[in-house]
Amino acid sequence: MTPTLHPGSLLTIDALPIPEVASILALTARLEHMPAAEKAKLLTSRRIALLFYESSTRTRTSFELAAKSLGAVTTLVSDKSSSIEKGESLKDTGLTLRALGAECIILRHPASGSSFVLARATGLPVLNAGDGMAQHPSQALLDLRTILTRLGLDTTTVHAKSLSGLTITITGDILHSRVARSNAMLLPRLGAKVLLCGPEPLLSEAALGLAEGLQITRDFNAALAQSQVVMMLRIQKERLAGLDLDLTHYIDHYQLNEARLATYAPRALVLHPGPMVRGLEISGEVADGPQSAILDQVTHGLAIRSALLVRALGAKA
Ligand code: NCD
């Protein structure tokens, strides 16, 4: 018997049809306007486990604070201080959490596809908080909400043309980036043109099955000149082993700094999922500058993740 995946799960962004994206965004807005006391009753005493096999600041904290603001009880299990260190499998850890009463698991894991393994093993709603180089669906949703809000577009009724006419450049370590992959699967479905930009070692045409609405470019300046939104990505040093990447060349050609931004995209919105390495993919001036929406992204993360938890646990809001 193949256990069915719980419908409240969010494992990959491509599994979400656009009307479902719209309904999550509408729920996010309703929750944001709800009085705190009312919101805190939505998931009273529901048990949510955060299972993190990789470091995280924004994703983990926002899921945890979102759960608490909804009245839920949370527990964090990390690879550093649990039986995972003793070799316990993902399946056994998941089944243990379920036996302890967990009703939903938020998973970050270095292996692509791990959220499917956990969802199948437990039958619980699983929210993928980043699996290897594959997917980070809640990040794509919060990025979308940040773009819509900062560009003054409607955040509650998105459809296939919501981002029509927009060009969005994603630059950096695309090879290793689950954020890039999730955004590249979502933004074109809303009408955006997405330019993936970076040097060959970080963005190989052969490695990418290019979907409609996606293009590759090596020329960051030219990409910036056509873009209304630019999303910068961290160079993931922890995943770079064996790659031939010249960081000085990278900084010269691909760093988003004040001079480049002022010359080629003086009005574009700047995004970065964090954590940033200031002075490498982005300069401090740009990160802190008026075009930056980086901290807005963090705040939208809290809002989107509240909605994903309500959806996962089937609460009425
Ligand atoms: C990203 C991640 O972990 O995928 N961060 C995040 O969740 N905001 C990107 C990264 O690690 O560079």
Side-chain angles (χ1 to χ4, degrees):
M1 189 188 89
T2 316
T4 49
L5 296 175
H6 192 285
S9 286
L10 180 58
L11 307 181
T12 67
I13 197 72
D14 50 329
L16 278 187
I18 294 307
E20 187 67 19
V21 173
S23 114
I24 291 169
L25 288 172
L27 173 58
T28 306
R30 287 202 299 283
L31 292 174
E32 215 169 42
H33 292 115
M34 203 176 262
E38 202 181 314
K39 209 164 121 183
K41 289 187 195 140
L42 289 173
L43 298 183
T44 303
S45 301
R46 306 290 299 267
R47 292 184 193 177
I48 296 173
L50 298 128
L51 179 51
F52 277 66
Y53 290 74
E54 276 186 11
S55 318
S56 172
T57 300
R58 280 149 285 268
T59 306
R60 200 191 88 191
T61 313
S62 58
F63 266 121
E64 187 173 345
L65 291 177
K68 291 195 161 125
S69 75
L70 295 161
V73 174
T74 62
T75 183
L76 170 68
V77 178
S78 94
D79 58 326
K80 302 286 177 325
S81 55
S82 67
S83 288
I84 296 166
E85 267 190 330
K86 301 179 184 172
E88 186 162 65
S89 71
L90 176 60
K91 175 178 169 173
D92 287 331
T93 304
L95 292 175
T96 302
L97 291 173
R98 190 181 72 184
L100 288 167
E103 297 170 79
C104 171
I105 303 178
I106 297 153
L107 176 69
R108 170 165 286 192
H109 196 284
S112 302
S114 48
S115 64
F116 278 102
V117 172
L118 184 68
R120 257 189 236 112
T122 61
L124 293 177
V126 170
L127 300 179
N128 180 1
D131 61 327
M133 298 172 2
Q135 283 283 308
H136 196 346
S138 64
Q139 181 73 41
L141 292 171
L142 74 89
D143 289 340
L144 171 63
R145 192 166 196 255
T146 306
I147 294 169
L148 292 168
T149 308
R150 283 287 289 251
L151 297 183
L153 301 169
D154 186 356
T155 59
T156 53
T157 54
V158 290
H159 50 78
K161 291 199 165 64
S162 286
L163 301 179
S164 286
L166 278 188
T167 299
I168 301 173
T169 290
I170 306 180
T171 304
D173 190 352
I174 301 208
L175 173 65
H176 299 110
S177 179
R178 50 199 176 206
V179 176
R181 253 165 221 93
S182 292
N183 272 295
M185 281 177 175
L186 177 63
L187 300 171
R189 288 199 282 142
L190 296 160
K193 175 171 154 188
V194 173
L195 301 177
L196 301 175
C197 181
E200 170 74 28
L202 298 180
L203 173 61
S204 137
E205 277 169 58
L208 277 163
L210 279 191
E212 212 181 317
L214 287 177
Q215 287 173 27
I216 284 188
T217 174
R218 309 277 172 215
D219 185 341
F220 188 30
N221 295 341
L224 279 177
Q226 330 171 27
S227 299
Q228 291 74 42
V229 179
V230 53
M231 187 181 294
M232 301 308 297
L233 301 171
R234 183 175 68 91
I235 302 295
Q236 300 192 22
K237 286 196 173 144
E238 72 275 26
R239 297 189 224 265
L240 278 188
L243 266 195
D244 181 20
L245 185 72
D246 174 348
L247 285 182
T248 312
H249 176 273
Y250 185 84
I251 290 171
D252 282 351
H253 290 83
Y254 295 103
Q255 183 188 72
L256 189 62
N257 54 40
E258 254 187 328
R260 181 168 268 140
L261 191 62
T263 308
Y264 296 102
R267 285 197 295 279
L269 189 66
V270 175
L271 272 70
H272 191 308
M276 289 182 274
V277 184
R278 288 171 183 247
L280 208 172
E281 73 272 6
I282 191 166
S283 73
E285 292 77 16
V286 170
D288 299 331
Q291 290 173 248
S292 168
I294 295 169
L295 292 175
D296 293 13
Q297 287 172 273
V298 178
T299 309
H300 285 298
L302 194 60
I304 284 285
R305 287 169 179 138
S306 302
L308 292 177
L309 290 168
V310 166
R311 174 181 177 270
L313 289 167
K316 292 274 155 290

